[in-house]
Amino acid sequence: MARIPGSNGEKTLKAIYEAATDLIYQNGYEAVSLRQLASAVGIQAGSLYNHIASKQDLLYKLTSTIMVELNGALDEELRGIEDPVEQLKTYVRFHITYYAARKKQVFIGNFELRSLQGENYRKIVVLRDQYEKKLVDILERGAEEGCWAAADMRMTAKALIPMLTGVCVWYDPRGGYSIADLVEKYSSLIFHGISNS
């Protein structure tokens, strides 16, 4: 098996994931070939199959890793917080911070979902829906407690998540806004939009 000099199978797999993330982020999943990926890693194209089953399997592993991590990290952030207002503030802060710090990974997780097939697609949709449901639950609880206006909270969540997710497309830390600035401005927009007044 061809390997990166001085590496082992685990390092090679990590290099494959990193190179695939860069290539898919830059070019889109459909435009990236396994030959291109192997070249970026420094191995023969045939050697990729010692680490991945297929290009589709690779995309599934990239997207599932980020979605599982996303859900788990959000659960940790929300642990012990009962007040819906504080939960929503935490959700917004977490989402923006996470998405700004992992632009490539979350871009693939969100915008290459369309390239997943069959069961791979269905599994990622389940994970995506779990993440969205956490926001719906916060919004519904807040509406029940009078924290903000009652509305169709599923639709509200579907509007808010793409708004927050857009950070991974346009945010550049050299552009004059800090993460704290983003959190403050997005939080203001969201709370103003759902307020009772």
Side-chain angles (χ1 to χ4, degrees):
M1 174 175 84
R3 290 189 178 183
I4 302 169
S7 75
N8 58 33
E10 189 175 311
K11 285 184 182 176
T12 303
L13 183 58
K14 184 179 180 210
I16 289 169
Y17 287 161
E18 288 175 354
T21 297
D22 288 341
L23 288 169
I24 294 170
Y25 178 75
Q26 292 163 8
N27 306 295
Y29 171 79
E30 297 298 339
V32 175
S33 70
L34 289 181
R35 187 174 299 280
Q36 208 178 350
L37 175 58
S39 176
V41 176
I43 61 176
Q44 296 295 316
S47 296
L48 282 173
Y49 293 106
N50 292 313
H51 305 280
I52 61 171
S54 65
K55 184 179 167 187
Q56 177 67 197
D57 176 63
L58 174 61
L59 179 61
Y60 171 71
K61 284 179 178 168
L62 291 175
T63 52
S64 64
T65 296
I66 197 68
M67 291 306 298
V68 167
E69 183 183 290
L70 182 70
N71 275 294
L74 177 60
D75 287 342
E76 281 300 311
E77 289 292 317
L78 291 171
R79 193 180 308 282
I81 303 173
E82 299 297 331
D83 176 41
V85 172
E86 290 306 313
Q87 287 180 331
L88 183 55
K89 287 179 181 176
T90 299
Y91 189 103
V92 171
R93 184 182 68 250
F94 168 80
H95 190 103
I96 289 174
T97 303
Y98 193 95
Y99 272 58
R102 296 166 181 80
K103 288 179 66 167
K104 294 177 183 178
Q105 292 88 347
V106 295
F107 183 91
I108 292 169
N110 282 276
F111 298 104
E112 290 297 347
L113 181 63
R114 64 195 172 196
S115 297
L116 288 168
Q117 301 167 356
E119 191 62 20
N120 287 344
Y121 176 82
R122 286 187 286 276
K123 286 178 181 176
I124 299 303
V125 167
V126 167
L127 293 171
R128 182 197 63 188
D129 290 349
Q130 287 172 4
Y131 185 78
E132 181 180 299
K133 187 175 186 308
K134 297 178 205 300
L135 179 56
V136 173
D137 289 346
I138 292 168
L139 292 169
E140 288 181 341
R141 193 176 308 113
E144 287 168 6
E145 295 183 15
C147 301
W148 42 72
D152 182 338
M153 291 311 180
R154 291 186 182 279
M155 183 179 293
T156 301
K158 287 185 182 299
L160 292 182
I161 289 177
M163 177 179 130
L164 294 168
T165 297
V167 165
C168 78
V169 177
W170 68 265
Y171 179 66
D172 184 338
R174 299 165 299 179
Y177 294 110
S178 68
I179 298 295
D181 290 333
L182 295 183
V183 170
E184 180 186 351
K185 292 178 189 302
Y186 273 70
S187 295
S188 177
L189 283 169
I190 288 168
F191 278 93
H192 178 74
I194 64 175
S195 72
N196 281 313
S197 56

